[in-house]
Amino acid sequence: MAVQVSVIATSSLGDRSYLATDGRVAVVVDPQRDIDRIVYLAGEKGVRITHVVETHIHNDYVSGGLELARITGAKYLVAAADEVGFDRVAVADGDLVPVSDSLRLRVVGTPGHTFHHLSYVLDEAGDGGWSPAGVFTGGSLLFGTTGRTDLLGQQHAHTLAHHQHDSARKLADLLPDGAEVWPTHGFGSFCSASQADAPESTIGREKEANPALRLAADQFVTETLAGLDAYPAYYAHMGVANAAGPVPVDLSPVRRAEAGQLRERIAAGEWVVDLRHRKAYAASHLAGTVSLGLDGPMSTWLGWLIDWGVPITLLAETPEQVAAAQRELVRIGIDRPAAQATGTPEQWATDPAELRELAAADFPALAAAQSGNTPDHLPAPQVVLDVRMTNEWKAGHIDGAVHVPLPDLPERLGDVPAGTVWVHCGSGYRATAAASLLANAGRNVVLIDDMFGRAEPAGVRMAPTP
């Protein structure tokens, strides 16, 4: 049979892993830490995993590669130039790795996202010999963009950006236009310089769409570095964990916390996270909790906001939601939440006085308030707080708004001017997290739960564009 490549998407982190098979054996590329998904897929297809490969030492998640190779007996391919604390098959540019009679991997050095980054060309055998089906590009050539080049430090970003340009050209020269491109990053990952512009792609399409293949090196470097925004603070811990060799995950149920224990944890300054949808949180929640709904990139924002190592307690409607959150968190190295509770806010409070509502509005309400006609059920805004990222702010923002990106807010609560705060982001998800942090600090806050694209059409006054 022809080679089949299956995508194992981790949309919450914006990444993809892959399982490529000839129907008998399989290669797994850049697996996430919760490898049961991959083992299940291989079992469903009736194939044996013989090779697990890493394109690079990941900065945005803890890899499941070492554990997957251990339990399957597969060969574990990692760049020879990377210093790691475990046994692996060391590979480098130009290596040829036989997989089966019909599949093989060609290792291509593609530095840029990291210094020792590798791509893997997947060749399949045919009547005319070997031909490339596609290439696993990791954080090198992505869909319409490339992996960011500043994760190893700003001092290396310029050099790595030049390497990234060279590596993209190398792949384009090496492969035919019809070869598939299978990247790991680019689907919301902060490892990507920008976001994917397509659900799938080929070398030919990238020649037309990708700045790395359209721009001269200096222009590409300048534009790439200018477009980079902040990335999650927890990235600092991922590379260290992956180079050392991650331990197996423990997804067993977490101990339950009763209402009194929740109150004690909040009083102690621990993070108690409400995983329910933001509309449910606004309607009623336990005072002192932080809203990070499971319907959004919860683990990314939680890992970015917390002091690393602080105890975390999870609140959800069902045990299944807690289990889903645990799975999300182990992917970024938060292995065991301190406690959990399920049910309703009324069950989490020792007294009804501990329950709190969050006033909510939309951009038409803000427009009315700017005109002096604040809706009767809401306090008038004295501060409009924008918690989007810097690049979003630069692309357009509300006239007179204060800008504090959400990741900076825990340390910059004192920078938010006095008065009633109306807070917004791009959709409402980050604004709800910010509103919960502000309310916990004693501020009077209104959540703008609306899409930012609706602000100007609703009549909200926007700042002049530079």
Side-chain angles (χ1 to χ4, degrees):
M1 65 174 288
V3 62
Q4 290 187 342
V5 178
S6 299
V7 175
I8 303 101
T10 304
S11 57
S12 56
L13 294 178
D15 289 325
R16 290 180 174 182
S17 306
Y18 298 90
L19 183 144
T21 179
D22 62 0
R24 296 179 294 112
V25 299
V27 175
V28 174
V29 182
D30 288 346
Q32 289 274 339
R33 198 174 179 203
D34 51 327
I35 59 173
D36 55 337
R37 295 184 294 163
I38 297 165
V39 172
Y40 178 85
L41 179 61
E44 190 177 51
K45 292 182 174 294
V47 299
R48 180 169 59 91
I49 298 171
T50 58
H51 294 74
V52 178
V53 305
E54 302 281 10
T55 57
H56 59 294
I57 301 296
H58 301 284
N59 284 290
D60 65 327
Y61 66 87
V62 179
S63 172
L66 181 63
E67 179 66 4
L68 182 60
R70 185 187 71 80
I71 69 168
T72 61
K75 296 177 180 178
Y76 189 32
L77 278 56
V78 178
D82 282 323
E83 295 183 9
V84 295
F86 49 84
D87 291 334
R88 43 73 194 268
V89 177
V91 291
D93 180 58
D95 285 351
L96 193 63
V97 181
V99 177
S100 70
D101 292 341
S102 56
L103 291 183
R104 71 180 186 185
L105 295 171
R106 275 185 284 154
V107 185
V108 183
T110 49
H113 188 47
T114 64
F115 279 105
H116 307 137
H117 189 285
L118 301 175
S119 296
Y120 296 85
V121 176
L122 182 66
D123 289 333
E124 57 181 335
D127 294 338
W130 293 96
S131 61
V135 57
F136 299 104
T137 56
S140 184
L141 186 67
L142 313 183
F143 295 167
T145 184
T146 56
R148 63 190 300 157
T149 64
D150 60 337
L151 297 183
L152 302 183
Q154 284 293 337
Q155 70 273 27
H156 300 304
H158 188 273
T159 298
L160 284 171
H162 273 284
H163 287 328
Q164 192 73 296
H165 185 267
D166 291 344
S167 293
R169 297 295 177 102
K170 181 178 182 179
L171 290 173
D173 291 343
L174 179 66
L175 295 165
D177 286 356
E180 297 279 343
V181 176
W182 298 305
T184 300
H185 302 313
F187 312 96
S189 169
F190 282 92
C191 273
S192 178
S194 59
Q195 293 313 309
D197 64 347
E200 58 187 29
S201 194
T202 62
I203 290 292
R205 183 187 178 280
E206 292 309 310
K207 287 179 178 178
E208 298 175 355
N210 201 304
L213 301 179
R214 291 190 298 102
L215 302 178
D218 287 345
Q219 186 180 359
F220 168 78
V221 170
T222 299
E223 291 190 7
T224 296
L225 297 182
L228 296 176
D229 210 332
Y231 57 84
Y234 68 81
Y235 278 21
H237 307 281
M238 301 298 95
V240 175
N242 286 326
V247 300
V249 299
D250 177 4
L251 291 174
S252 62
V254 178
R255 66 180 177 181
R256 179 177 177 82
E258 301 301 329
Q261 294 169 320
L262 294 176
R263 177 51 48 202
E264 290 171 3
R265 290 185 178 281
I266 291 171
E270 299 182 12
W271 277 64
V272 179
V273 180
D274 192 323
L275 300 169
R276 298 174 303 144
H277 190 275
R278 60 184 179 272
K279 292 189 184 300
Y281 183 88
S284 177
H285 60 270
L286 184 62
T289 58
V290 178
S291 172
L292 285 168
L294 202 55
D295 58 301
M298 176 274 299
S299 59
T300 294
W301 293 112
L302 180 58
W304 201 337
L305 288 166
I306 63 169
D307 292 328
W308 199 251
V310 67
I312 294 167
T313 296
L314 302 174
L315 305 180
E317 293 167 339
T318 69
E320 290 77 15
Q321 291 167 339
V322 173
Q326 283 183 252
R327 182 178 291 269
E328 295 281 358
L329 292 173
V330 297
R331 293 171 179 158
I332 66 165
I334 299 175
D335 280 18
R336 296 296 291 170
Q340 57 83 22
T342 56
T344 65
E346 290 73 22
Q347 294 172 288
W348 304 331
T350 59
D351 186 286
E354 294 174 0
L355 299 179
R356 188 171 63 196
E357 296 179 16
L358 188 60
D362 55 16
F363 283 115
L366 177 61
Q370 285 182 329
S371 301
N373 299 308
T374 303
D376 291 340
H377 66 288
L378 295 171
Q382 294 165 291
V383 181
V384 175
L385 177 64
D386 183 339
V387 296
R388 297 175 303 153
M389 302 302 289
T390 300
N391 281 352
E392 294 173 283
W393 166 266
K394 289 179 178 177
H397 57 268
I398 293 169
D399 190 30
V402 174
H403 181 229
V404 180
L406 176 60
D408 298 343
L409 188 60
E411 302 300 322
R412 294 184 55 193
L413 287 166
D415 293 346
V416 181
T420 298
V421 182
W422 285 40
V423 58
H424 79 87
C425 62
S427 67
Y429 186 90
R430 288 171 290 175
T432 311
S436 63
L437 292 170
L438 288 161
N440 292 344
R443 300 298 300 270
N444 192 26
V445 60
V446 174
L447 161 67
I448 302 176
D449 186 6
D450 204 350
M451 300 299 294
F452 184 70
R454 285 166 43 93
E456 189 169 12
V460 175
R461 291 194 300 271
M462 307 301 289
T465 53

